[in-house]
Amino acid sequence: MARITRVLSATAVILGFFGAWELLCRLLHVSDLVLPLPSQILVTLIERFPDLWPHLIQTIASTLAGFTFGVLAGVVIGVMVGSSRLAYDTLYPLLIGFSSVPKVAIIPIFVIWFGAGTIPAILTALSLSIFPVVVNVATGISTSEPELEDVLRALGASRRDILWNVALPRTLPYLFASLKVAITVAFIGSITSETIASNYGIGTVMMVASANFDVALLFAGLALISITGIALYGLFSFAEARFTGWATRKSAVA
Amino acid sequence: MDQSVQSESKFAVEAGRSATSAEQPSKVIELEAVSVRFGQGRSGTTALGETTLDVRKGEFISFVGPSGCGKSTILRLVSGLVRPTNGVVVVGGREVGVKALRIGMAFQNASMMPWLTVERNVMLPLKIVPPFRADYRRKRKGEFRDRVRALLAQVGLSDFADHFPWQLSGGMLQRANLCRALVHDPQLLLLDEPFGALDQFTREELWGTLQALWLDKRPTVLLVTHDLREAAYLGSRICVMSARPGRIISDTPVPFAYPRTLETTYEPEFIALGKRMRELIVPVQTSGGSA
């Protein structure tokens, strides 16, 4: 019962936001070229959806490809940084330096190396999603409780046994928390790359719409990006709750 | 006082020697002039003074002594978690480090993996320790599962096998902890104040549980405790240790027949034994600095 009221009130507030937007634009006679009405955006989104759809798929595919490789690399680097002093002293500074560079500045280099199109989008998504994963996995590994490790060490467990049975499972909540961040920034990364150098993908659509002063389409693109972003985030939140319920003490069996 | 202590410990050690010279393999643990220091030079601390100890197969040895005297260090030495600074540690006829024996260990903190159910937690040693680990994938849903369930039933945790550790009380967690320490049929069981964090009633109940498990499988047990009644209730021998740097100052057999009950602890001889142990520790504790 309480859950239903929660959902209803949340929906009411969100609908109220768009209602207020619509109402203010109509009352103040805001030009379509500055800020289109939510209703207009919705209509454009539905009308142009068949055109937008393949671009969206392209962007999501680049995002997921970059994200997957980014997470794999991030986990490996994170385990190294979290368990080895040497890796912490060498890899970590390098990684922080690399992550401090705005990705917009790196995309042209990717383009020179691999040409415009899908690969720079994937690489941008990859390079953005590595960092949050490394930081979280390294934290999880390095804060592993020695008591838990002693239980296995007393049994004669090898370092590998301890990694697989204590350090990694314990790190899962940290990993999943970082996946939510990583998927979001990977999505931003691939769109950014597409706006700079591609002729396909939702980022490209936005650039073309901007050049044509098609403000309604621009906003429709934004709406689509937001909805997809929410969906991706939701997907990984769900996975997090499913696999690391023990960390939040949910009785749902992991 | 001091002299009587020394003669008592010497007698016990000699008794141990003569028994083992007859049947050599029954000696499970030998500590020869072992000491442990942590850190270097002046800033270092001696965790364990020079200690010599023989443990025979099937014995249940209780270590008591003031806190910080190195009781736990002995267990960590035997399990290989700590290396001796001087002396030799021989476990199961081999110098420690080579796993000659299957060892089970339980700490004061139950240290259950929070992401595993109680059943999977108890099964963990079977995943790690040979020869079980080779069969783990094949048997974890069959034979191993039955084995864990049987053990959990023995300590009254049948209904909690599928629960997660945070859903259990402290006493239940320690029961599960004992099961985990015993599931791989260890020849040597090391218990580091396993009941230290429990209330008195739960603790006394678990003495019975532990005793039953021990009588059932008869591993050699080293128990560290600061509870004299616990030491005497469970142990076949009590080693009293001095304050830091710890040494064994008394090594006494406990004369009561197993299985012991709570009634045993109210017998005059039992109370007298407890009193003797207490008198050994308390002056040691007050004169600890000068020793």
Side-chain angles (χ1 to χ4, degrees), chain A residues 147-148 150-158 161 165-166 169-170 246 249-254, chain B residues 76 79 81 99 103 105 107 111-115 124-125 127-129 133 164 166-167 180 184:
Chain A
E147 291 85 7
L148 295 187
D150 276 354
V151 169
L152 291 203
R153 210 168 286 135
L155 294 168
S158 65
D161 288 333
N165 290 293
V166 183
R170 213 199 78 91
W246 59 267
R249 309 206 154 179
K250 300 260 167 58
S251 48
V253 173
Chain B
R76 299 174 78 83
S79 67
L81 289 174
K99 291 283 174 201
I103 296 178
M105 198 161 183
F107 303 94
S111 295
M112 292 281 136
M113 313 291 158
W115 52 88
L124 208 50
K127 195 176 176 184
I128 302 295
V129 178
R133 70 179 293 161
F164 282 89
W166 55 268
Q167 294 168 311
R180 183 173 61 186
H184 53 300

mmCIF file of all heavy atoms in Angstrom, chain A residues 147-148 150-158 161 165-166 169-170 246 249-254, chain B residues 76 79 81 99 103 105 107 111-115 124-125 127-129 133 164 166-167 180 184:
data_model
loop_
_atom_site.group_PDB
_atom_site.id
_atom_site.type_symbol
_atom_site.label_atom_id
_atom_site.label_comp_id
_atom_site.label_asym_id
_atom_site.label_seq_id
_atom_site.Cartn_x
_atom_site.Cartn_y
_atom_site.Cartn_z
ATOM 1 N N GLU A 147 40.269 -10.642 8.845
ATOM 2 C CA GLU A 147 39.682 -11.782 9.570
ATOM 3 C C GLU A 147 39.125 -12.803 8.581
ATOM 4 O O GLU A 147 39.303 -14.005 8.741
ATOM 5 C CB GLU A 147 38.550 -11.331 10.503
ATOM 6 C CG GLU A 147 38.994 -10.516 11.692
ATOM 7 C CD GLU A 147 39.133 -9.043 11.367
ATOM 8 O OE1 GLU A 147 38.744 -8.646 10.245
ATOM 9 O OE2 GLU A 147 39.643 -8.289 12.207
ATOM 10 N N LEU A 148 38.429 -12.293 7.555
ATOM 11 C CA LEU A 148 37.852 -13.205 6.574
ATOM 12 C C LEU A 148 38.953 -13.928 5.821
ATOM 13 O O LEU A 148 38.846 -15.125 5.536
ATOM 14 C CB LEU A 148 36.957 -12.431 5.592
ATOM 15 C CG LEU A 148 35.715 -11.769 6.178
ATOM 16 C CD1 LEU A 148 34.850 -11.186 5.076
ATOM 17 C CD2 LEU A 148 34.903 -12.744 7.007
ATOM 18 N N ASP A 150 41.951 -14.572 6.956
ATOM 19 C CA ASP A 150 42.612 -15.516 7.861
ATOM 20 C C ASP A 150 41.890 -16.852 7.908
ATOM 21 O O ASP A 150 42.520 -17.897 8.045
ATOM 22 C CB ASP A 150 42.685 -14.934 9.278
ATOM 23 C CG ASP A 150 43.885 -14.011 9.440
ATOM 24 O OD1 ASP A 150 44.681 -13.941 8.485
ATOM 25 O OD2 ASP A 150 44.016 -13.382 10.497
ATOM 26 N N VAL A 151 40.570 -16.808 7.806
ATOM 27 C CA VAL A 151 39.796 -18.046 7.829
ATOM 28 C C VAL A 151 40.306 -18.984 6.737
ATOM 29 O O VAL A 151 40.530 -20.165 6.966
ATOM 30 C CB VAL A 151 38.294 -17.757 7.614
ATOM 31 C CG1 VAL A 151 37.528 -19.043 7.358
ATOM 32 C CG2 VAL A 151 37.728 -17.020 8.811
ATOM 33 N N LEU A 152 40.524 -18.424 5.544
ATOM 34 C CA LEU A 152 40.992 -19.256 4.439
ATOM 35 C C LEU A 152 42.475 -19.543 4.547
ATOM 36 O O LEU A 152 42.939 -20.637 4.231
ATOM 37 C CB LEU A 152 40.707 -18.566 3.101
ATOM 38 C CG LEU A 152 39.257 -18.444 2.687
ATOM 39 C CD1 LEU A 152 39.154 -18.275 1.193
ATOM 40 C CD2 LEU A 152 38.462 -19.654 3.100
ATOM 41 N N ARG A 153 43.254 -18.547 4.999
ATOM 42 C CA ARG A 153 44.696 -18.741 5.079
ATOM 43 C C ARG A 153 45.033 -19.872 6.047
ATOM 44 O O ARG A 153 45.934 -20.658 5.797
ATOM 45 C CB ARG A 153 45.366 -17.431 5.503
ATOM 46 C CG ARG A 153 46.761 -17.312 4.941
ATOM 47 C CD ARG A 153 47.323 -15.920 5.111
ATOM 48 N NE ARG A 153 46.755 -14.957 4.213
ATOM 49 C CZ ARG A 153 46.354 -13.738 4.575
ATOM 50 N NH1 ARG A 153 46.438 -13.361 5.822
ATOM 51 N NH2 ARG A 153 45.849 -12.914 3.683
ATOM 52 N N ALA A 154 44.270 -19.937 7.148
ATOM 53 C CA ALA A 154 44.516 -20.999 8.125
ATOM 54 C C ALA A 154 44.251 -22.369 7.503
ATOM 55 O O ALA A 154 44.777 -23.381 7.965
ATOM 56 C CB ALA A 154 43.638 -20.801 9.355
ATOM 57 N N LEU A 155 43.435 -22.412 6.462
ATOM 58 C CA LEU A 155 43.145 -23.676 5.789
ATOM 59 C C LEU A 155 44.189 -23.993 4.724
ATOM 60 O O LEU A 155 44.084 -24.978 4.012
ATOM 61 C CB LEU A 155 41.767 -23.609 5.126
ATOM 62 C CG LEU A 155 40.563 -23.494 6.051
ATOM 63 C CD1 LEU A 155 39.319 -23.153 5.261
ATOM 64 C CD2 LEU A 155 40.365 -24.783 6.817
ATOM 65 N N GLY A 156 45.169 -23.091 4.596
ATOM 66 C CA GLY A 156 46.208 -23.318 3.595
ATOM 67 C C GLY A 156 45.832 -22.838 2.209
ATOM 68 O O GLY A 156 46.357 -23.339 1.218
ATOM 69 N N ALA A 157 44.915 -21.866 2.148
ATOM 70 C CA ALA A 157 44.466 -21.382 0.841
ATOM 71 C C ALA A 157 45.565 -20.581 0.159
ATOM 72 O O ALA A 157 46.350 -19.898 0.812
ATOM 73 C CB ALA A 157 43.227 -20.514 1.010
ATOM 74 N N SER A 158 45.607 -20.670 -1.170
ATOM 75 C CA SER A 158 46.571 -19.899 -1.935
ATOM 76 C C SER A 158 46.052 -18.477 -2.101
ATOM 77 O O SER A 158 44.890 -18.175 -1.798
ATOM 78 C CB SER A 158 46.769 -20.535 -3.309
ATOM 79 O OG SER A 158 45.557 -20.440 -4.035
ATOM 80 N N ASP A 161 43.026 -18.565 -4.260
ATOM 81 C CA ASP A 161 41.816 -18.989 -3.548
ATOM 82 C C ASP A 161 41.222 -17.807 -2.796
ATOM 83 O O ASP A 161 40.000 -17.595 -2.801
ATOM 84 C CB ASP A 161 42.155 -20.079 -2.518
ATOM 85 C CG ASP A 161 42.474 -21.404 -3.172
ATOM 86 O OD1 ASP A 161 41.964 -21.639 -4.280
ATOM 87 O OD2 ASP A 161 43.230 -22.189 -2.582
ATOM 88 N N ASN A 165 37.588 -16.266 -3.408
ATOM 89 C CA ASN A 165 36.570 -16.591 -2.409
ATOM 90 C C ASN A 165 36.316 -15.496 -1.393
ATOM 91 O O ASN A 165 35.307 -15.520 -0.708
ATOM 92 C CB ASN A 165 36.966 -17.878 -1.668
ATOM 93 C CG ASN A 165 36.862 -19.077 -2.571
ATOM 94 O OD1 ASN A 165 35.765 -19.449 -2.970
ATOM 95 N ND2 ASN A 165 37.990 -19.667 -2.911
ATOM 96 N N VAL A 166 37.241 -14.560 -1.245
ATOM 97 C CA VAL A 166 37.026 -13.474 -0.287
ATOM 98 C C VAL A 166 37.043 -12.114 -0.983
ATOM 99 O O VAL A 166 36.051 -11.397 -0.994
ATOM 100 C CB VAL A 166 38.075 -13.483 0.847
ATOM 101 C CG1 VAL A 166 37.758 -12.396 1.854
ATOM 102 C CG2 VAL A 166 38.094 -14.835 1.538
ATOM 103 N N PRO A 169 34.314 -11.581 -4.180
ATOM 104 C CA PRO A 169 32.901 -11.472 -3.778
ATOM 105 C C PRO A 169 32.644 -10.251 -2.905
ATOM 106 O O PRO A 169 31.622 -9.587 -3.031
ATOM 107 C CB PRO A 169 32.652 -12.756 -2.971
ATOM 108 C CG PRO A 169 33.764 -13.655 -3.239
ATOM 109 C CD PRO A 169 34.896 -12.872 -3.782
ATOM 110 N N ARG A 170 33.612 -9.944 -2.035
ATOM 111 C CA ARG A 170 33.435 -8.796 -1.163
ATOM 112 C C ARG A 170 33.411 -7.491 -1.959
ATOM 113 O O ARG A 170 32.839 -6.496 -1.546
ATOM 114 C CB ARG A 170 34.576 -8.760 -0.155
ATOM 115 C CG ARG A 170 34.208 -8.226 1.188
ATOM 116 C CD ARG A 170 35.448 -7.821 1.915
ATOM 117 N NE ARG A 170 35.908 -6.548 1.433
ATOM 118 C CZ ARG A 170 35.532 -5.401 1.979
ATOM 119 N NH1 ARG A 170 34.757 -5.378 3.016
ATOM 120 N NH2 ARG A 170 35.976 -4.268 1.467
ATOM 121 N N TRP A 246 22.968 -9.236 -0.369
ATOM 122 C CA TRP A 246 23.527 -9.498 0.959
ATOM 123 C C TRP A 246 24.128 -8.247 1.572
ATOM 124 O O TRP A 246 24.133 -8.078 2.783
ATOM 125 C CB TRP A 246 24.568 -10.602 0.893
ATOM 126 C CG TRP A 246 25.721 -10.306 -0.018
ATOM 127 C CD1 TRP A 246 25.815 -10.657 -1.336
ATOM 128 C CD2 TRP A 246 26.910 -9.603 0.282
ATOM 129 N NE1 TRP A 246 26.991 -10.218 -1.859
ATOM 130 C CE2 TRP A 246 27.678 -9.560 -0.896
ATOM 131 C CE3 TRP A 246 27.409 -8.988 1.433
ATOM 132 C CZ2 TRP A 246 28.918 -8.937 -0.956
ATOM 133 C CZ3 TRP A 246 28.646 -8.371 1.367
ATOM 134 C CH2 TRP A 246 29.382 -8.350 0.188
ATOM 135 N N ARG A 249 21.448 -6.256 2.976
ATOM 136 C CA ARG A 249 20.648 -7.083 3.879
ATOM 137 C C ARG A 249 19.217 -7.237 3.405
ATOM 138 O O ARG A 249 18.277 -7.190 4.183
ATOM 139 C CB ARG A 249 20.677 -6.528 5.298
ATOM 140 C CG ARG A 249 22.080 -6.272 5.756
ATOM 141 C CD ARG A 249 22.177 -6.340 7.229
ATOM 142 N NE ARG A 249 23.547 -6.699 7.605
ATOM 143 C CZ ARG A 249 23.960 -6.824 8.853
ATOM 144 N NH1 ARG A 249 23.108 -6.651 9.824
ATOM 145 N NH2 ARG A 249 25.184 -7.135 9.127
ATOM 146 N N LYS A 250 19.071 -7.391 2.095
ATOM 147 C CA LYS A 250 17.765 -7.751 1.560
ATOM 148 C C LYS A 250 17.646 -9.261 1.673
ATOM 149 O O LYS A 250 18.615 -9.973 1.440
ATOM 150 C CB LYS A 250 17.670 -7.349 0.077
ATOM 151 C CG LYS A 250 17.850 -5.867 -0.156
ATOM 152 C CD LYS A 250 16.501 -5.180 -0.342
ATOM 153 C CE LYS A 250 16.619 -3.684 -0.266
ATOM 154 N NZ LYS A 250 17.546 -3.140 -1.254
ATOM 155 N N SER A 251 16.459 -9.728 1.999
ATOM 156 C CA SER A 251 16.338 -11.170 2.181
ATOM 157 C C SER A 251 16.235 -11.929 0.862
ATOM 158 O O SER A 251 16.289 -13.143 0.840
ATOM 159 C CB SER A 251 15.143 -11.499 3.074
ATOM 160 O OG SER A 251 14.019 -10.792 2.647
ATOM 161 N N ALA A 252 16.108 -11.177 -0.257
ATOM 162 C CA ALA A 252 16.102 -11.835 -1.560
ATOM 163 C C ALA A 252 17.389 -12.627 -1.719
ATOM 164 O O ALA A 252 18.474 -12.111 -1.484
ATOM 165 C CB ALA A 252 15.996 -10.805 -2.676
ATOM 166 N N VAL A 253 17.278 -13.882 -2.092
ATOM 167 C CA VAL A 253 18.448 -14.747 -2.169
ATOM 168 C C VAL A 253 19.326 -14.327 -3.341
ATOM 169 O O VAL A 253 18.850 -14.126 -4.455
ATOM 170 C CB VAL A 253 18.018 -16.217 -2.316
ATOM 171 C CG1 VAL A 253 19.234 -17.089 -2.556
ATOM 172 C CG2 VAL A 253 17.271 -16.660 -1.083
ATOM 173 N N ALA A 254 20.614 -14.181 -3.067
ATOM 174 C CA ALA A 254 21.540 -13.730 -4.108
ATOM 175 C C ALA A 254 21.814 -14.824 -5.112
ATOM 176 O O ALA A 254 21.755 -15.980 -4.780
ATOM 177 C CB ALA A 254 22.848 -13.285 -3.472
ATOM 178 N N ARG B 76 48.474 -19.170 16.106
ATOM 179 C CA ARG B 76 48.858 -18.662 14.790
ATOM 180 C C ARG B 76 50.171 -19.280 14.321
ATOM 181 O O ARG B 76 50.385 -19.439 13.117
ATOM 182 C CB ARG B 76 48.915 -17.134 14.805
ATOM 183 C CG ARG B 76 47.549 -16.524 15.153
ATOM 184 C CD ARG B 76 47.619 -15.016 15.309
ATOM 185 N NE ARG B 76 47.651 -14.355 14.017
ATOM 186 C CZ ARG B 76 46.559 -14.093 13.312
ATOM 187 N NH1 ARG B 76 45.382 -14.431 13.746
ATOM 188 N NH2 ARG B 76 46.653 -13.484 12.151
ATOM 189 N N SER B 79 49.218 -22.816 13.121
ATOM 190 C CA SER B 79 48.479 -22.812 11.860
ATOM 191 C C SER B 79 49.319 -22.280 10.712
ATOM 192 O O SER B 79 48.902 -22.336 9.563
ATOM 193 C CB SER B 79 47.216 -21.963 11.998
ATOM 194 O OG SER B 79 47.585 -20.611 12.171
ATOM 195 N N LEU B 81 50.130 -19.101 10.317
ATOM 196 C CA LEU B 81 49.826 -17.701 10.016
ATOM 197 C C LEU B 81 50.960 -16.791 10.488
ATOM 198 O O LEU B 81 51.113 -15.679 10.011
ATOM 199 C CB LEU B 81 48.509 -17.277 10.685
ATOM 200 C CG LEU B 81 47.221 -17.863 10.103
ATOM 201 C CD1 LEU B 81 46.020 -17.476 10.954
ATOM 202 C CD2 LEU B 81 47.014 -17.400 8.670
ATOM 203 N N LYS B 99 51.892 -28.336 4.796
ATOM 204 C CA LYS B 99 50.655 -28.756 5.445
ATOM 205 C C LYS B 99 50.630 -30.273 5.569
ATOM 206 O O LYS B 99 50.278 -30.988 4.642
ATOM 207 C CB LYS B 99 49.437 -28.275 4.640
ATOM 208 C CG LYS B 99 49.269 -26.769 4.682
ATOM 209 C CD LYS B 99 48.664 -26.310 6.012
ATOM 210 C CE LYS B 99 48.664 -24.797 6.067
ATOM 211 N NZ LYS B 99 48.588 -24.219 7.379
ATOM 212 N N ILE B 103 43.980 -28.741 9.182
ATOM 213 C CA ILE B 103 43.769 -27.881 10.333
ATOM 214 C C ILE B 103 42.427 -27.170 10.205
ATOM 215 O O ILE B 103 42.076 -26.685 9.129
ATOM 216 C CB ILE B 103 44.903 -26.840 10.447
ATOM 217 C CG1 ILE B 103 46.233 -27.548 10.708
ATOM 218 C CG2 ILE B 103 44.610 -25.833 11.541
ATOM 219 C CD1 ILE B 103 47.421 -26.628 10.800
ATOM 220 N N MET B 105 40.136 -24.026 12.041
ATOM 221 C CA MET B 105 40.415 -22.902 12.926
ATOM 222 C C MET B 105 39.154 -22.073 13.095
ATOM 223 O O MET B 105 38.419 -21.855 12.148
ATOM 224 C CB MET B 105 41.534 -22.057 12.321
ATOM 225 C CG MET B 105 42.191 -21.137 13.327
ATOM 226 S SD MET B 105 43.813 -20.598 12.747
ATOM 227 C CE MET B 105 44.354 -19.637 14.159
ATOM 228 N N PHE B 107 37.852 -18.378 15.116
ATOM 229 C CA PHE B 107 38.262 -17.208 15.876
ATOM 230 C C PHE B 107 37.101 -16.700 16.726
ATOM 231 O O PHE B 107 35.960 -17.129 16.564
ATOM 232 C CB PHE B 107 38.714 -16.090 14.936
ATOM 233 C CG PHE B 107 39.823 -16.489 14.006
ATOM 234 C CD1 PHE B 107 39.544 -16.957 12.732
ATOM 235 C CD2 PHE B 107 41.137 -16.398 14.402
ATOM 236 C CE1 PHE B 107 40.564 -17.317 11.859
ATOM 237 C CE2 PHE B 107 42.165 -16.765 13.546
ATOM 238 C CZ PHE B 107 41.873 -17.221 12.283
ATOM 239 N N SER B 111 33.400 -14.456 11.740
ATOM 240 C CA SER B 111 33.962 -14.256 10.401
ATOM 241 C C SER B 111 33.259 -15.067 9.319
ATOM 242 O O SER B 111 33.896 -15.758 8.550
ATOM 243 C CB SER B 111 35.454 -14.601 10.364
ATOM 244 O OG SER B 111 36.166 -13.718 11.174
ATOM 245 N N MET B 112 31.933 -14.975 9.297
ATOM 246 C CA MET B 112 31.202 -15.615 8.206
ATOM 247 C C MET B 112 31.251 -14.692 6.988
ATOM 248 O O MET B 112 31.179 -13.475 7.127
ATOM 249 C CB MET B 112 29.741 -15.812 8.606
ATOM 250 C CG MET B 112 29.539 -16.823 9.717
ATOM 251 S SD MET B 112 29.636 -18.502 9.096
ATOM 252 C CE MET B 112 30.642 -19.265 10.342
ATOM 253 N N MET B 113 31.365 -15.281 5.808
ATOM 254 C CA MET B 113 31.313 -14.471 4.596
ATOM 255 C C MET B 113 29.873 -13.987 4.408
ATOM 256 O O MET B 113 28.973 -14.817 4.265
ATOM 257 C CB MET B 113 31.722 -15.286 3.366
ATOM 258 C CG MET B 113 32.984 -16.107 3.534
ATOM 259 S SD MET B 113 34.450 -15.077 3.652
ATOM 260 C CE MET B 113 35.594 -16.189 4.470
ATOM 261 N N PRO B 114 29.654 -12.676 4.416
ATOM 262 C CA PRO B 114 28.263 -12.193 4.418
ATOM 263 C C PRO B 114 27.507 -12.490 3.121
ATOM 264 O O PRO B 114 26.296 -12.379 3.097
ATOM 265 C CB PRO B 114 28.408 -10.679 4.653
ATOM 266 C CG PRO B 114 29.803 -10.348 4.291
ATOM 267 C CD PRO B 114 30.625 -11.582 4.532
ATOM 268 N N TRP B 115 28.233 -12.847 2.055
ATOM 269 C CA TRP B 115 27.546 -13.087 0.781
ATOM 270 C C TRP B 115 27.160 -14.549 0.609
ATOM 271 O O TRP B 115 26.554 -14.900 -0.394
ATOM 272 C CB TRP B 115 28.422 -12.646 -0.394
ATOM 273 C CG TRP B 115 29.796 -13.219 -0.370
ATOM 274 C CD1 TRP B 115 30.202 -14.400 -0.902
ATOM 275 C CD2 TRP B 115 30.949 -12.636 0.239
ATOM 276 N NE1 TRP B 115 31.529 -14.601 -0.653
ATOM 277 C CE2 TRP B 115 32.016 -13.534 0.037
ATOM 278 C CE3 TRP B 115 31.184 -11.453 0.934
ATOM 279 C CZ2 TRP B 115 33.298 -13.278 0.508
ATOM 280 C CZ3 TRP B 115 32.464 -11.207 1.403
ATOM 281 C CH2 TRP B 115 33.491 -12.107 1.186
ATOM 282 N N LEU B 124 32.760 -24.007 2.913
ATOM 283 C CA LEU B 124 33.944 -23.354 2.352
ATOM 284 C C LEU B 124 35.246 -24.166 2.473
ATOM 285 O O LEU B 124 35.979 -24.277 1.486
ATOM 286 C CB LEU B 124 34.099 -21.978 3.013
ATOM 287 C CG LEU B 124 34.784 -20.875 2.230
ATOM 288 C CD1 LEU B 124 34.195 -20.736 0.838
ATOM 289 C CD2 LEU B 124 34.643 -19.554 2.980
ATOM 290 N N PRO B 125 35.543 -24.743 3.644
ATOM 291 C CA PRO B 125 36.796 -25.513 3.724
ATOM 292 C C PRO B 125 36.859 -26.657 2.708
ATOM 293 O O PRO B 125 37.936 -26.981 2.215
ATOM 294 C CB PRO B 125 36.773 -26.067 5.161
ATOM 295 C CG PRO B 125 35.968 -25.079 5.915
ATOM 296 C CD PRO B 125 34.900 -24.632 4.963
ATOM 297 N N LYS B 127 35.934 -26.529 -0.196
ATOM 298 C CA LYS B 127 36.296 -25.948 -1.479
ATOM 299 C C LYS B 127 37.796 -25.674 -1.545
ATOM 300 O O LYS B 127 38.369 -25.533 -2.618
ATOM 301 C CB LYS B 127 35.520 -24.624 -1.628
ATOM 302 C CG LYS B 127 35.488 -24.041 -3.008
ATOM 303 C CD LYS B 127 34.596 -22.806 -2.994
ATOM 304 C CE LYS B 127 34.588 -22.108 -4.332
ATOM 305 N NZ LYS B 127 33.797 -20.876 -4.279
ATOM 306 N N ILE B 128 38.429 -25.567 -0.355
ATOM 307 C CA ILE B 128 39.820 -25.122 -0.284
ATOM 308 C C ILE B 128 40.779 -26.272 0.010
ATOM 309 O O ILE B 128 41.863 -26.354 -0.555
ATOM 310 C CB ILE B 128 39.977 -24.058 0.839
ATOM 311 C CG1 ILE B 128 39.064 -22.866 0.592
ATOM 312 C CG2 ILE B 128 41.426 -23.620 0.986
ATOM 313 C CD1 ILE B 128 39.388 -22.074 -0.647
ATOM 314 N N VAL B 129 40.369 -27.137 0.948
ATOM 315 C CA VAL B 129 41.323 -28.090 1.516
ATOM 316 C C VAL B 129 41.359 -29.377 0.704
ATOM 317 O O VAL B 129 40.315 -29.954 0.411
ATOM 318 C CB VAL B 129 40.921 -28.409 2.975
ATOM 319 C CG1 VAL B 129 41.864 -29.434 3.578
ATOM 320 C CG2 VAL B 129 40.936 -27.141 3.806
ATOM 321 N N ARG B 133 38.864 -30.590 -2.175
ATOM 322 C CA ARG B 133 38.696 -29.546 -3.181
ATOM 323 C C ARG B 133 38.603 -30.122 -4.598
ATOM 324 O O ARG B 133 37.938 -29.550 -5.462
ATOM 325 C CB ARG B 133 39.783 -28.477 -3.082
ATOM 326 C CG ARG B 133 41.170 -28.907 -3.492
ATOM 327 C CD ARG B 133 42.146 -27.751 -3.367
ATOM 328 N NE ARG B 133 41.885 -26.671 -4.320
ATOM 329 C CZ ARG B 133 42.337 -25.439 -4.197
ATOM 330 N NH1 ARG B 133 43.036 -25.100 -3.159
ATOM 331 N NH2 ARG B 133 42.085 -24.544 -5.114
ATOM 332 N N PHE B 164 21.200 -16.118 5.689
ATOM 333 C CA PHE B 164 22.466 -15.402 5.591
ATOM 334 C C PHE B 164 22.962 -15.076 6.993
ATOM 335 O O PHE B 164 22.160 -14.974 7.932
ATOM 336 C CB PHE B 164 22.289 -14.134 4.749
ATOM 337 C CG PHE B 164 22.251 -14.431 3.282
ATOM 338 C CD1 PHE B 164 21.058 -14.711 2.637
ATOM 339 C CD2 PHE B 164 23.426 -14.473 2.545
ATOM 340 C CE1 PHE B 164 21.035 -15.022 1.288
ATOM 341 C CE2 PHE B 164 23.411 -14.778 1.204
ATOM 342 C CZ PHE B 164 22.211 -15.058 0.569
ATOM 343 N N TRP B 166 23.839 -12.513 8.662
ATOM 344 C CA TRP B 166 23.286 -11.399 9.455
ATOM 345 C C TRP B 166 21.905 -11.725 10.012
ATOM 346 O O TRP B 166 21.395 -10.993 10.857
ATOM 347 C CB TRP B 166 23.246 -10.123 8.621
ATOM 348 C CG TRP B 166 22.510 -10.254 7.319
ATOM 349 C CD1 TRP B 166 23.050 -10.590 6.119
ATOM 350 C CD2 TRP B 166 21.114 -10.045 7.085
ATOM 351 N NE1 TRP B 166 22.087 -10.626 5.158
ATOM 352 C CE2 TRP B 166 20.889 -10.291 5.719
ATOM 353 C CE3 TRP B 166 20.038 -9.674 7.895
ATOM 354 C CZ2 TRP B 166 19.623 -10.174 5.140
ATOM 355 C CZ3 TRP B 166 18.793 -9.565 7.314
ATOM 356 C CH2 TRP B 166 18.598 -9.812 5.956
ATOM 357 N N GLN B 167 21.326 -12.820 9.572
ATOM 358 C CA GLN B 167 20.013 -13.194 10.094
ATOM 359 C C GLN B 167 20.130 -14.066 11.346
ATOM 360 O O GLN B 167 19.123 -14.450 11.917
ATOM 361 C CB GLN B 167 19.218 -13.937 9.013
ATOM 362 C CG GLN B 167 18.871 -13.051 7.826
ATOM 363 C CD GLN B 167 18.350 -13.816 6.633
ATOM 364 O OE1 GLN B 167 18.949 -14.799 6.211
ATOM 365 N NE2 GLN B 167 17.231 -13.372 6.084
ATOM 366 N N ARG B 180 32.093 -24.970 10.613
ATOM 367 C CA ARG B 180 33.023 -24.693 9.523
ATOM 368 C C ARG B 180 34.423 -25.183 9.873
ATOM 369 O O ARG B 180 35.170 -25.636 9.013
ATOM 370 C CB ARG B 180 33.029 -23.202 9.197
ATOM 371 C CG ARG B 180 33.923 -22.885 8.009
ATOM 372 C CD ARG B 180 33.825 -21.453 7.570
ATOM 373 N NE ARG B 180 34.242 -20.557 8.638
ATOM 374 C CZ ARG B 180 34.156 -19.244 8.571
ATOM 375 N NH1 ARG B 180 33.634 -18.675 7.498
ATOM 376 N NH2 ARG B 180 34.540 -18.487 9.564
ATOM 377 N N HIS B 184 35.782 -30.341 7.454
ATOM 378 C CA HIS B 184 36.737 -31.092 6.643
ATOM 379 C C HIS B 184 37.495 -32.111 7.491
ATOM 380 O O HIS B 184 38.604 -32.495 7.134
ATOM 381 C CB HIS B 184 37.690 -30.141 5.933
ATOM 382 C CG HIS B 184 38.381 -29.172 6.854
ATOM 383 N ND1 HIS B 184 37.695 -28.278 7.636
ATOM 384 C CD2 HIS B 184 39.681 -28.960 7.106
ATOM 385 C CE1 HIS B 184 38.570 -27.565 8.337
ATOM 386 N NE2 HIS B 184 39.771 -27.959 8.045
#
